[in-house]
Amino acid sequence: MPKAYLQTIPFLALAAGIAGMFISRAMVSISMIVLIGYAILLLDPRKTFHAFFKDRVLVALSMIFFLYLVSCFNSTEDPSFFLERIRLKLPFLALPVAFTVFQNKITGRQFNLLLYFFFLTVVITTLIITIHYAADFEEINSAYMQGRVIDTPFSHIRYSLMVAFAIFTGYYLFVQKVVVCFSWERWVIVIFSGYLIFFIHLLAVRSGLVAFYGCVIYLIFNFIFRRKDLKTALLLTTVVVLLPLLTYNFLPSVKAKVNYMKYDLQQLMQFKNASGLSDGGRILSIDKGMELFSDHPLIGVGIGDLRQEMRRKLEQAPEHPRDYLLPHNQFVFVAAGTGIIGLLIFCAGVFLPLFYRRNLNNILFVCFHIIIISSFLTEATVEEQMGTAFYLQFLLLLYVFLQSEKS
């Protein structure tokens, strides 16, 4: 096979991995296998690993896998749960190595096309969901009143984060004047980005909404202090103030979600009842996770034993959730399982890419981290395949492109 054809393999594999987040879990896994196979088998493995060990960010990300692996020495009660955690963390070992194939090789056009592909994929899937919502309007709104949401590809929480990222991907593509064929595509991107803002409110998943508004607030400060563009900052501030009020009054899904959240929290605060309630159960799971961390501050209870230890803690609660939840906070999850030492290693892997070599100057990279880190506060985002795939694929894609630009 000609070398030119071989060089397209990692880009096609990454595109398949992006599509797999909306279509098939198997596609995500296969794309990862192809990427790591290409990096080790079709290229010189010595050069691949030399490039990997030379990059402290890639090494720091891979340490998250070894953090979980070492925790096996402190895990004795639930080997099946521990093996599941290791399986879910394998991408933290494989993908940082695999993405060395893009170092100093990915062009601006290739990078933009991958973002464009993700953006259009999100738009298409949201259009399908919107049509479904319109077709079953009454039934779906009734489900929202009971704390449920419309069906989405896999986890609705991870999906809402992808929608939030797609909105700012659209902003980036417009600012960079990215087009594939026609100049008018830029305005189509603007229209679709506006539609995605409408959709993320229609979906009414709080993780996505918090991520969206967090990024908008960041942009406001960016326009004020870095670009000195007070008019745009004022416009965005008006959007932040008015948009929640408008969507609450005109979108039934938003109003139903807010009212259910009020009821949920009232049950927890006034009656100490978390049984069968979403928010109450989540808050209680974080509280009990913090108790485990307080009881075992140095090395935690062991990742493999976390499920059993959480069950014991929750059984002590007067009205515990029907489901024995794990901590709904990624930092608390890691702290309870691996202690302060593990938490510091995890935080190094998460925050180093953002602060490395002035990556803070890139708006899209910062927005991506706002989306991810805000989700870490209410979800164990990377303890599930699609959350891990979304996080690592786009973190590494953005990172290697930024480093290629600087080299």
Side-chain angles (χ1 to χ4, degrees):
M1 186 182 294
K3 188 177 181 181
Y5 286 93
L6 285 173
Q7 291 174 346
T8 65
I9 291 176
F11 293 96
L12 292 175
L14 183 53
I18 293 171
M21 294 189 302
F22 306 94
I23 300 171
S24 166
R25 294 180 184 274
M27 189 181 295
V28 172
S29 299
I30 292 169
S31 70
M32 182 182 75
I33 293 170
V34 171
L35 278 171
I36 191 66
Y38 181 91
I40 295 177
L41 301 178
L42 293 182
L43 300 180
D44 186 340
R46 293 172 299 177
K47 292 182 178 179
T48 295
F49 283 106
H50 175 74
F52 167 73
F53 285 113
K54 190 178 177 181
D55 193 313
R56 65 186 67 183
V57 168
L58 300 183
V59 172
L61 284 169
S62 70
M63 290 302 296
I64 294 175
F65 168 80
F66 290 106
L67 165 66
Y68 277 58
L69 183 64
V70 170
S71 184
C72 71
F73 297 109
N74 194 31
S75 304
T76 58
E77 292 189 43
D78 194 347
S80 63
F81 181 74
F82 172 74
L83 290 174
E84 180 186 349
R85 294 303 100 194
I86 292 299
R87 177 180 62 81
L88 289 171
K89 290 297 170 289
L90 275 173
F92 280 90
L93 176 64
L95 286 181
V97 175
F99 267 75
T100 58
V101 304
F102 297 108
Q103 287 180 328
N104 302 320
K105 295 182 180 67
I106 185 168
T107 66
R109 180 165 177 79
Q110 291 167 332
F111 174 74
N112 290 333
L113 284 175
L114 286 167
L115 290 181
Y116 208 132
F117 175 67
F118 167 74
F119 178 75
L120 292 179
T121 304
V122 172
V123 169
I124 292 169
T125 58
T126 57
L127 286 170
I128 295 170
I129 294 170
T130 303
I131 293 169
H132 180 205
Y133 179 85
D136 297 311
F137 185 78
E138 296 295 337
E139 182 180 346
I140 292 173
N141 284 328
S142 176
Y144 270 91
M145 293 178 185
Q146 302 169 39
R148 294 180 284 132
V149 298
I150 192 171
D151 290 337
T152 60
F154 304 109
S155 166
H156 62 277
I157 294 171
R158 276 69 172 179
Y159 183 73
S160 73
L161 301 177
M162 295 177 199
V163 174
F165 182 58
I167 292 169
F168 297 98
T169 298
Y171 169 77
Y172 173 85
L173 294 172
F174 177 78
V175 170
Q176 296 295 318
K177 301 180 180 179
V178 176
V179 296
V180 176
C181 298
F182 308 104
S183 59
W184 49 259
E185 288 175 41
R186 293 187 65 221
W187 301 106
V188 173
I189 290 172
V190 171
I191 293 170
F192 281 152
S193 297
Y195 159 72
L196 289 178
I197 293 173
F198 160 79
F199 177 83
I200 203 170
H201 289 85
L202 179 71
L203 186 62
V205 175
R206 286 161 299 178
S207 297
L209 289 171
V210 168
F212 168 73
Y213 282 105
C215 291
V216 174
I217 292 170
Y218 158 71
L219 289 178
I220 290 172
F221 283 102
N222 185 271
F223 278 111
I224 292 174
F225 296 108
R226 294 196 62 187
R227 302 193 179 190
K228 311 299 181 182
D229 187 348
L230 296 181
K231 289 183 179 179
T232 303
L234 181 60
L235 176 62
L236 289 175
T237 302
T238 304
V239 169
V240 168
V241 173
L242 292 182
L243 197 54
L245 296 174
L246 291 172
T247 54
Y248 177 79
N249 285 287
F250 292 102
L251 288 179
S253 59
V254 174
K255 180 175 285 190
K257 194 73 171 181
V258 171
N259 291 339
Y260 180 82
M261 182 177 67
K262 289 179 180 177
Y263 166 77
D264 195 328
L265 294 176
Q266 183 184 49
Q267 291 295 306
L268 179 66
M269 300 302 177
Q270 293 185 6
F271 305 108
K272 306 299 180 183
N273 176 26
S275 179
L277 299 175
S278 173
D279 292 331
R282 290 163 186 255
I283 293 171
L284 190 61
S285 74
I286 296 172
D287 181 58
K288 296 303 179 184
M290 287 298 296
E291 286 185 17
L292 285 177
F293 175 49
S294 179
D295 294 341
H296 307 269
L298 190 59
I299 59 173
V301 299
I303 285 292
D305 293 346
L306 186 57
R307 181 166 62 181
Q308 296 296 334
E309 294 292 340
M310 281 295 296
R311 179 184 291 269
R312 294 189 186 102
K313 281 287 184 182
L314 289 169
E315 284 176 347
Q316 297 171 9
E319 289 291 341
H320 61 73
R322 292 173 185 170
D323 298 321
Y324 291 97
L325 301 175
L326 292 163
H328 269 253
N329 179 302
Q330 187 65 59
F331 298 112
V332 174
F333 189 104
V334 173
T338 65
I340 188 65
I341 296 174
L343 181 62
L344 290 174
I345 293 171
F346 179 79
C347 287
V350 169
F351 289 103
L352 181 60
L354 182 60
F355 294 98
Y356 186 67
R357 295 184 66 184
R358 293 184 292 180
N359 288 337
L360 273 169
N361 294 334
N362 185 275
I363 287 177
L364 187 61
F365 200 59
V366 174
C367 285
F368 176 77
H369 278 83
I370 291 171
I371 291 167
I372 290 297
I373 293 169
S374 67
S375 76
F376 280 2
L377 300 179
T378 56
E379 291 290 329
T381 309
V382 295
E383 300 303 325
E384 187 264 350
Q385 183 189 17
M386 291 306 170
T388 300
F390 172 58
Y391 174 57
L392 283 179
Q393 287 185 136
F394 283 102
L395 170 67
L396 291 168
L397 174 62
L398 289 162
Y399 172 72
V400 296
F401 176 68
L402 289 177
Q403 302 319 299
S404 297
E405 277 195 319
K406 295 170 185 174
S407 62

